Amino acid sequence: MIGGLFIYNHKGEVLISRVYRDDIGRNAVDAFRVNVIHARQQVRSPVTNIARTSFFHVKRSNIWLAAVTKQNVNAAMVFEFLYKMCDVMASYFGKISEENIKNNFVLIYELLDEILDFGYPQNSETGALKTFITQQGIKGQFQTKEEQSQITSQVTGQIGWRREGIKYRRNELFLDVLESVNLLMSPQGQVLSAHVSGRVVMKSYLSGMPECKFGMNDKIVIDKAGKGGVTNEAGKSTSGKQSIAIDDCTFNQCVRLSKFDSERSISFIPPDGDYELMRYRTTKDIILPFRVIPLVREVGRTKLEVKVVIKSNFKPSLLAQKIEVRIPTPLNTSGVQVICMKGKAKYKASENAIVWKIKRMAGMKESQISAEIELLPTNDKKKWARPPISMNFEVPFAPSGLKVRYLKVFESKLNYSDHDVVKWVRYIGRSGIYETRC
Amino acid sequence: MPAVSKGDGMRGLAVFISDIRNCKSKEAEIKRINKELANIRSKFKGDKALDGYSKKKYVCKLLFIFLLGHDIDFGHMEAVNLLSSNKYTEKQIGYLFISVLVNSNSELIRLINNAIKNDLSSRNPTFMCLALHCIANVGSREMAEAFAGEIPRILVAGDTMDSVKQSAALCLLRLYKASPDLVLMGEWTSRVVHLLNDQHMGVVTAAISLITCLSSKNPDEFKTCVSLAVSRLSRIVSSASTDLQDYTYYFVPAPWLSCKLLRLLQCYPPPEDGAVKGRLVECLETILNKAQEPPKSKKVQHSNAKNAILFEAISLIIHYDSEPNLLVRACNQLGQFLQHRETNLRYLALESMCTLASSEFSHEAVKTHIETVINALKTERDVSVRQRAADLLYAMCDRSNAKQIVAEMLSYLETADYSIREEMVLKVAILAEKYAVDYSWYVDTILNLIRIAGDYVSEEVWYRVIQIVINRDDVQGYAAKTVFEALQAPACHENMVKVGGYILGEFGNLIAGDPRSSPLVQFNLLHSKFHLCSVPTRALLLSAYIKFINLFPETKATIQEVLRSDSQIRNSDVELQQRAVEYLKLSSIASTDVLATVLEEMPPFPERESSILAKLKKKKGPGAVSVELEDGKERGELNGGGDRGGDAAIAASNASTPSPSADLLGLRSAAPVSGAAPSAGSLLVDVFSEAGPAAASAGVNDDGFLSALHAPEASDSPLVEGPGDSDSAPTSAASEDPAPPLPESDELLNKFVCKNNGVLFENQLLQIGIKSEYRQNLGRMYLFYGNKTSVQFVSFSTTVSCPGELQSQLNVQTKTVEPLVEGGAQVQQVINIECLTDFVDAPLLNIKFRYGGALQNISLKLPVTINKFFQPTEMAAADFFQRWKQLSQPQQEAQKIFKASHGMDTEVLKAKLLGLGTALLENVDPNPENYVCAGVIQTKAQQVGCLLRLEPNAQAQPGEQMYRLTLRSSKDTVSQRVCDLLAEQF
């Protein structure tokens, strides 16, 4: 039960203030500003308790969104709602910025009225919302009575995320597997921690009320299939392929959870347009796309030699993109000389780091950079903490090893079958926090 | 001023600062700063030398970054280089950086000191000032070590410029405050005093701050400043407002200087020289006169400056406390301020009046403002002002207006601010007790107090009511009746139930005649509150019930029924259950005679100092520790423990305590109640003063009196040298073995023969207070170790040992103390003593602790002497002589004839003999001059009867006075020992 919701700009000025419950007063607005936005120390916890009132905040660029409550709410629910709300706003007016919020504030209040009622989250499906909250005010006049009643029945009906009677000439389906891989590695190349968090994002343009079924190389499903039909030829061939162990996953509201629980099959009636089908996390058998080998040598008190080698560790036919290696420099750096074979490298004083950028790199390749760092002798005896070298990249495969096995579409009422649907599948692996100690 | 170089504005700095100001977020700011730091680093690292301007600019940027809250770990060297520049702006920035950023960094500090030294010896006054400011701003020990010798020289040199002199005086003041041991007094001190005569007012103002600070530490060296200050003051006061030009502030001539002069004078007693004094009094009168003049300006600064001088003058008048005329005038002036519309003025007026009220000259004058003060208490909007008003009411209270003041305070209490309620309650309780003429009024007041502010009534307050009711026969009936009525209220505070339970249990019979308060009604009334009370109160009520059984046999059945019920006899609380079981058995088994003996009415309490006063002192803060030592801080709680339970009552009822002249406050002075103003005054000092309470408390109680006499001896004798003293090697470097007892410890022992409480030992570091109580052959001693320093003692440990044969004669048990004693704190240790048989020696107390690394080792004799185990025995003359004759064997008698070392004051002698522990028998000896005492020494092995006779020859010349002391006891060693002990006392 969210008591109120506030949006602030970076100065702490209130852009949007919506109070849902009486227990939240106007002074809560100031309390958050004083204790969090203008706090002396940076507030790291996303949940702050001030005078028996809880503030949950997320930050999008320079904008603070804060949900306020006096009750004992499910914090995960509140954050889920806040994220969802960011998504909704982004889909209505693009980037969440102070200017956009100021320009759309009537819309935002309208949205807030709809997606949160007396503090309880309601339907926050963008597609559904867009049917009745529109930015063209005049559209209402042209809506027929029939359409209006249809909206009502859809919003209040069992399948709130899809309306009936959608028709496409060409039935198309886009599926993206987006993963971010996180790593912490010791200087010797030992993996200290690694995990992948991934999302399956879909875009569907399908007619009618189709029933979809999604299959991937989930270890439990494959093992079950292998055991159930030993004689099955197909089963044999699939069990030879590698499967992945999913640690945990969450689904879009359209997925039938009961079916997942009993058969572990993912079946759903998709919303129209963009949506995120599932999120998951894996920790085992991760393919690490890059290996970073650091070499740091201190030459006296005033000089530091750094050599970093990166090796790409995937099929040579694939190309990694947007590679960026960030090598931290000591706080008393007074000058840097960099030599690199590939890409561009530069010392960025404002970030206390050498940033090395490579546009493209094929698999099974190697590249290196060496830098000489001059230091200013200080009277401070503190030793430099040597923060880890971090890396950013984008690769065209899923580092978790996830594969889409099938995505079937059934629509019994209309005359198109699974074969008629055009399906597109894409894998993108990105770096999350990808660090190597030096 | 040196020429300003190109672009003094430092454009780069301005750009940088405006960049930072324009940053949208914290991250952006950090990025900008990182960039700038990298730039500065590369500039400082760069091979070509930087010119002064850019060096200054970068140091400035670093300083700005530091002030924004980021760490700076380089650039110090560049800043030090700036110091040697010849340009004012560069030097200034260098000094600024150093005073803000430099910590005691070894290599740099030497360079900095060098630069400062150069500047000090240069003849350029601005450079000298910069250097002095830097020293004062850093103010570290290293700085003080390097320059403490130099600065006084600059200060008193004839050719130093005025502005430099000002800076030097203030710089020296700072160094002196930071490390007083490094600033050595020398011949310059006398010349500093003469700065008071300086032409330049600024120099005088700066110098006087220094002199005030110095003279408060060593007043004798600066005595000469008094007359100079007076003449300076009179010149300022008598000058017209235009005379002093720059130093006239809103038509007031040199207000700061005047205030400081007046404050300096407060360090000294009134001047003895008549002329000087006359001049000073004239000044003070002029100041008071000026306050009456219409203001020359409507500006608030004018009146502030004027009033500042006035208040400072009034505190000087109060400090002197010798000019009745001035005191009364000051009081009248303050009276005007009481109704001023400025809140601060009212506050200050009330505060000053509080101190005025304690002066005998102005007490009456203060009293005339009572209506205004009461009004302030009621209507004032600011709580701190109301607090002052309450303080003043407390201070001005005496016999004549006590009733009015107490009534006002009580009525105010209902609406009083929560933060001051407890203090108010204590004050009401004390005033009611101190000035009670009529005890029924007292009882009414306290019961009212409990009714109005029960939550804030501490235990001590209601213990006190009970003590007083028990000690005063005439008020008991009234108290019982009032309590009974108060308990009728549907909702009573728990404290009220406690008082009610106790008093009805003791004196319920006095009102039982009235059918409206028949025994059963009383019991039912009490029992109706029972279930709402906490466990300790229930325990008290159970004791009251068993007393009811004794008082009113007709209630026995009902009460037994209650005791027998499961909620009592199977109560989950052990204390309640035990009481229920024991009382039930007691009431059903014991005969009425036994019951009557066991449950006899409580004997009167021995007179003691009011525990409430101690409580109030405790509230006033830790500064009063030394007073409390003597007065027994914990006594309140101890009493509480003893007073509460019925079992304690049973134990106590066997002991026949000599009936004291029930005096409310436990004042021992001749006529405390009628002592009116002076005694009240000294009491107030006692309560409020923080330091030097010994003299003030002398009149208050006789413990304080004795220890006040002894305290100076103890503190003067250098028993243990300070840690810095190299001569003290044997003590401070001593091994872990206990040190041999101090030579004075026998003397210390004698001090405690006739008294149980006081200060056992005191040196610069440690004060040991002692409080002991003895019953039969058992004793309990509380030792209070007070840390007088501000540094904590570590590995603090104490051991008590019984050397030689004492081990078999005395059984001593100690509890260990905390090994850490915080600075200014006090720890308590309890020692239980059991006397097995008679003894001669005293147990040794050894204290070890580390103070600043040095081991301190102190050994003392614990003042446990055989006479502590005396039980007084009252007997008639015939009895006495019969026993005297029985003990006629020569070895049973010990006799001593000795010279009187103190005067032969009857009261003092009596007090000492009573303190010895024996009963003083009146009308026994045919010669009324002689003193006769009797007592029994209780040891575990045996009881030794002891008779004593002391014959003074009072008629002899002072100096020739002699005593003859004769002791007879059933054991020869006892006679001898007691005789020896006592002979030292007179």
Side-chain angles (χ1 to χ4, degrees), chain B residues 106-394:
Chain B
S106 58
E107 58 219 87
L108 276 179
I109 226 62
R110 209 172 319 123
L111 286 171
I112 294 166
N113 282 356
N114 229 342
I116 292 177
K117 210 161 261 170
N118 284 339
D119 279 341
L120 283 185
S121 54
S122 78
R123 307 308 305 157
N124 187 330
T126 37
F127 289 180
M128 285 174 89
C129 278
L130 276 178
L132 286 168
H133 294 167
C134 180
I135 297 171
N137 279 333
V138 176
S140 66
R141 252 197 111 68
E142 289 79 12
M143 287 278 184
E145 268 164 13
F147 300 107
E150 185 104 350
I151 296 167
R153 208 178 42 70
I154 296 174
L155 178 58
V156 296
D159 54 350
T160 317
M161 298 258 298
D162 287 337
S163 60
V164 179
K165 268 189 193 168
Q166 282 181 50
S167 298
L170 293 176
C171 179
L172 191 60
L173 175 63
R174 168 83 169 96
L175 291 186
Y176 183 75
K177 278 182 177 163
S179 29
D181 50 319
L182 291 176
V183 181
L184 303 168
M185 301 295 134
E187 56 92 38
W188 59 272
T189 43
S190 56
R191 297 177 64 181
V192 165
V193 174
H194 285 278
L195 286 179
L196 287 178
N197 271 339
D198 203 284
Q199 292 293 313
H200 193 266
M201 292 287 267
V203 176
V204 184
T205 315
I208 200 161
S209 295
L210 176 65
I211 295 169
T212 309
C213 181
L214 289 172
S215 61
S216 64
K217 291 275 166 56
N218 5 271
D220 289 341
E221 283 198 55
F222 291 91
K223 231 174 198 155
T224 43
C225 70
V226 173
S227 59
L228 291 176
V230 169
S231 64
R232 187 94 220 184
L233 183 66
S234 81
R235 258 181 285 157
I236 294 172
V237 168
S238 57
S239 69
S241 59
T242 48
D243 286 359
L244 296 166
Q245 289 158 359
D246 284 354
Y247 289 85
T248 300
Y249 178 79
Y250 288 90
F251 307 106
V252 183
W256 281 276
L257 184 52
S258 315
C259 283
K260 284 179 175 181
L261 283 166
L262 288 164
R263 205 167 292 163
L264 173 64
L265 290 172
Q266 283 173 48
C267 298
Y268 291 94
E272 278 139 28
D273 185 352
V276 178
K277 190 169 184 186
R279 209 163 167 198
L280 179 57
V281 168
E282 203 176 296
C283 284
L284 293 172
E285 270 169 354
T286 322
I287 291 172
L288 287 173
N289 287 340
K290 274 193 182 171
Q292 296 296 337
E293 287 170 13
K296 292 202 181 77
S297 156
K298 282 214 170 96
K299 288 262 169 54
V300 67
Q301 289 95 330
H302 172 72
S303 60
N304 275 350
K306 221 166 85 172
N307 291 334
I309 300 176
L310 180 63
F311 273 106
E312 213 49 72
I314 290 176
S315 26
L316 182 65
I317 293 169
I318 295 170
H319 170 75
Y320 285 164
D321 197 11
S322 59
E323 299 286 334
N325 176 27
L326 283 177
L327 280 165
V328 171
R329 278 195 66 182
C331 186
N332 293 339
Q333 183 61 51
L334 290 177
Q336 287 179 9
F337 284 147
L338 283 182
Q339 279 149 321
H340 204 276
R341 63 191 161 79
E342 188 86 12
T343 313
N344 289 336
L345 270 184
R346 291 197 301 269
Y347 180 95
L348 288 169
L350 287 168
E351 197 183 28
S352 304
M353 265 210 182
C354 259
T355 39
L356 269 180
S358 58
S359 164
E360 54 175 312
F361 301 113
S362 53
H363 186 75
E364 287 305 317
V366 172
K367 267 167 66 183
T368 55
H369 299 289
I370 183 163
E371 291 303 332
T372 326
V373 179
I374 288 171
N375 204 29
L377 188 64
K378 281 180 185 158
T379 57
E380 194 61 62
R381 271 162 55 201
D382 189 324
V383 61
S384 58
V385 181
R386 288 201 300 269
Q387 161 100 55
R388 289 288 144 254
D391 284 350
L392 179 55
L393 274 185
Y394 177 75

Side-chain angles (χ1 to χ4, degrees), chain B residues 366-568:
Chain B
V366 172
K367 267 167 66 183
T368 55
H369 299 289
I370 183 163
E371 291 303 332
T372 326
V373 179
I374 288 171
N375 204 29
L377 188 64
K378 281 180 185 158
T379 57
E380 194 61 62
R381 271 162 55 201
D382 189 324
V383 61
S384 58
V385 181
R386 288 201 300 269
Q387 161 100 55
R388 289 288 144 254
D391 284 350
L392 179 55
L393 274 185
Y394 177 75
M396 67 164 65
C397 188
D398 65 10
R399 186 147 294 270
S400 64
N401 54 15
K403 273 199 181 175
Q404 186 192 3
I405 286 178
V406 167
E408 290 295 347
M409 282 172 107
L410 263 182
S411 69
Y412 170 62
L413 202 53
E414 289 184 64
T415 52
D417 202 77
Y418 292 103
S419 54
I420 62 170
R421 275 197 186 180
E422 190 180 354
E423 203 183 320
M424 290 282 295
V425 166
L426 287 173
K427 281 180 172 159
V428 171
I430 290 169
L431 289 179
E433 180 180 327
K434 198 158 95 180
Y435 299 115
V437 222
D438 173 6
Y439 285 95
S440 49
W441 173 73
Y442 171 73
V443 170
D444 277 345
T445 308
I446 299 293
L447 290 184
N448 246 336
L449 192 63
I450 294 176
R451 195 172 49 74
I452 292 170
D455 284 339
Y456 299 90
V457 173
S458 55
E459 302 275 280
E460 285 83 354
V461 174
W462 73 265
Y463 292 164
R464 199 67 197 147
V465 189
I466 286 173
Q467 282 174 20
I468 285 166
V469 169
I470 287 185
N471 286 4
R472 305 286 308 192
D473 301 340
D474 46 344
V475 78
Q476 287 163 356
Y478 179 76
K481 186 161 152 273
T482 330
V483 172
F484 179 77
E485 276 160 11
L487 282 177
Q488 306 266 354
C492 279
H493 192 268
E494 195 164 331
N495 280 338
M496 182 68 93
V497 179
K498 287 178 182 168
V499 177
Y502 200 103
I503 288 183
L504 289 182
E506 294 292 333
F507 310 114
N509 54 339
L510 298 178
I511 55 166
D514 190 332
R516 278 168 303 172
S517 53
S518 72
L520 220 52
V521 173
Q522 284 184 36
F523 171 73
N524 285 336
L525 183 60
L526 276 183
H527 198 58
S528 67
K529 314 283 180 201
F530 186 87
H531 304 281
L532 305 171
C533 297
S534 62
V535 169
T537 313
R538 289 185 187 196
L540 187 146
L541 284 179
L542 286 181
S543 297
Y545 294 170
I546 186 74
K547 291 221 157 195
F548 266 41
I549 294 187
N550 175 40
L551 290 178
F552 320 114
E554 66 266 34
T555 60
K556 186 168 173 175
T558 323
I559 291 173
Q560 278 182 338
E561 195 59 41
V562 168
L563 290 175
R564 207 177 288 124
S565 71
D566 277 357
S567 60
Q568 309 305 342

Side-chain angles (χ1 to χ4, degrees), chain A residues 40 50 63 179 229 323 341 358 373 398:
Chain A
R40 235 166 248 274
I50 307 159
I63 300 297
E179 295 195 340
I323 300 154
M341 330 238 272
I358 304 171
I373 301 171

Side-chain angles (χ1 to χ4, degrees), chain B residues 14-30:
Chain B
V15 169
F16 174 58
I17 292 176
S18 74
D19 275 2
I20 296 248
R21 296 251 156 92
N22 289 335
C23 280
K24 282 253 162 72
S25 66
K26 193 106 187 158
E27 293 77 34
E29 183 184 311
I30 289 171

Side-chain angles (χ1 to χ4, degrees), chain A residues 179-183 195-196 286-292 310-314 319-326 356-361 389-400 428-436:
Chain A
E179 295 195 340
S180 75
V181 52
N182 301 286
L183 168 80
H195 73 270
V196 170
I286 293 165
I287 306 157
L288 296 174
F290 284 95
R291 168 86 208 280
V292 178
I310 58 167
K311 283 183 180 172
S312 56
N313 185 25
F314 46 89
L319 270 181
Q321 286 182 308
K322 299 178 189 166
I323 300 154
E324 185 185 291
V325 181
R326 181 176 290 264
W356 177 27
K357 283 181 178 165
I358 304 171
K359 278 200 180 120
R360 235 170 260 109
M361 189 167 173
I389 295 172
S390 62
M391 205 178 161
N392 289 316
F393 54 79
E394 202 178 294
V395 287
F397 61 90
S400 67
I428 300 173
R430 292 201 181 97
S431 58
I433 297 168
Y434 200 86
E435 292 178 332
T436 307

Side-chain angles (χ1 to χ4, degrees), chain A residues 296 304 306 325-331 333 347 351-355 373 384 386-390 436 438:
Chain A
V296 180
L304 203 67
V306 182
V325 181
R326 181 176 290 264
I327 306 163
T329 55
L331 294 175
T333 304
Y347 167 59
E351 289 152 51
N352 280 323
I354 300 169
V355 179
I373 301 171
W384 180 46
R386 289 206 184 184
I389 295 172
S390 62
T436 307
C438 58

Side-chain angles (χ1 to χ4, degrees), chain B residues 455-723:
Chain B
D455 284 339
Y456 299 90
V457 173
S458 55
E459 302 275 280
E460 285 83 354
V461 174
W462 73 265
Y463 292 164
R464 199 67 197 147
V465 189
I466 286 173
Q467 282 174 20
I468 285 166
V469 169
I470 287 185
N471 286 4
R472 305 286 308 192
D473 301 340
D474 46 344
V475 78
Q476 287 163 356
Y478 179 76
K481 186 161 152 273
T482 330
V483 172
F484 179 77
E485 276 160 11
L487 282 177
Q488 306 266 354
C492 279
H493 192 268
E494 195 164 331
N495 280 338
M496 182 68 93
V497 179
K498 287 178 182 168
V499 177
Y502 200 103
I503 288 183
L504 289 182
E506 294 292 333
F507 310 114
N509 54 339
L510 298 178
I511 55 166
D514 190 332
R516 278 168 303 172
S517 53
S518 72
L520 220 52
V521 173
Q522 284 184 36
F523 171 73
N524 285 336
L525 183 60
L526 276 183
H527 198 58
S528 67
K529 314 283 180 201
F530 186 87
H531 304 281
L532 305 171
C533 297
S534 62
V535 169
T537 313
R538 289 185 187 196
L540 187 146
L541 284 179
L542 286 181
S543 297
Y545 294 170
I546 186 74
K547 291 221 157 195
F548 266 41
I549 294 187
N550 175 40
L551 290 178
F552 320 114
E554 66 266 34
T555 60
K556 186 168 173 175
T558 323
I559 291 173
Q560 278 182 338
E561 195 59 41
V562 168
L563 290 175
R564 207 177 288 124
S565 71
D566 277 357
S567 60
Q568 309 305 342
I569 211 155
R570 299 220 174 124
N571 197 298
S572 61
D573 189 85
V574 178
E575 175 75 24
L576 289 183
Q577 197 184 65
Q578 188 178 357
R579 283 190 190 217
V581 172
E582 284 178 2
Y583 292 160
L584 188 60
K585 280 288 160 213
L586 186 69
S587 64
S588 46
I589 292 172
S591 70
T592 42
D593 287 351
V594 174
L595 215 55
T597 322
V598 173
L599 301 172
E600 199 184 353
E601 192 174 300
M602 287 290 286
F605 285 88
E607 57 182 294
R608 28 164 93 112
E609 193 216 356
S610 167
S611 48
I612 311 175
L613 262 182
K615 169 100 179 177
L616 187 64
K617 276 179 216 167
K618 205 151 74 178
K619 271 190 83 70
K620 286 290 172 184
V625 168
S626 55
V627 203
E628 284 160 13
L629 251 179
E630 286 124 53
D631 300 340
K633 181 155 69 168
E634 261 71 39
R635 199 184 286 178
E637 281 82 357
L638 288 175
N639 289 345
D643 295 346
R644 192 173 51 203
D647 31 14
I650 293 162
S653 55
N654 295 336
S656 62
T657 326
S659 171
S661 59
D663 163 18
L664 287 168
L665 271 173
L667 303 179
R668 290 287 283 267
S669 53
V673 179
S674 58
S679 108
S682 66
L683 185 68
L684 280 165
V685 174
D686 184 24
V687 172
F688 292 113
S689 67
E690 294 191 328
S697 65
V700 176
N701 74 16
D702 103 320
D703 283 341
F705 179 61
L706 283 176
S707 60
L709 283 180
H710 290 292
E713 299 167 27
S715 54
D716 285 348
S717 53
L719 297 177
V720 172
E721 284 83 356

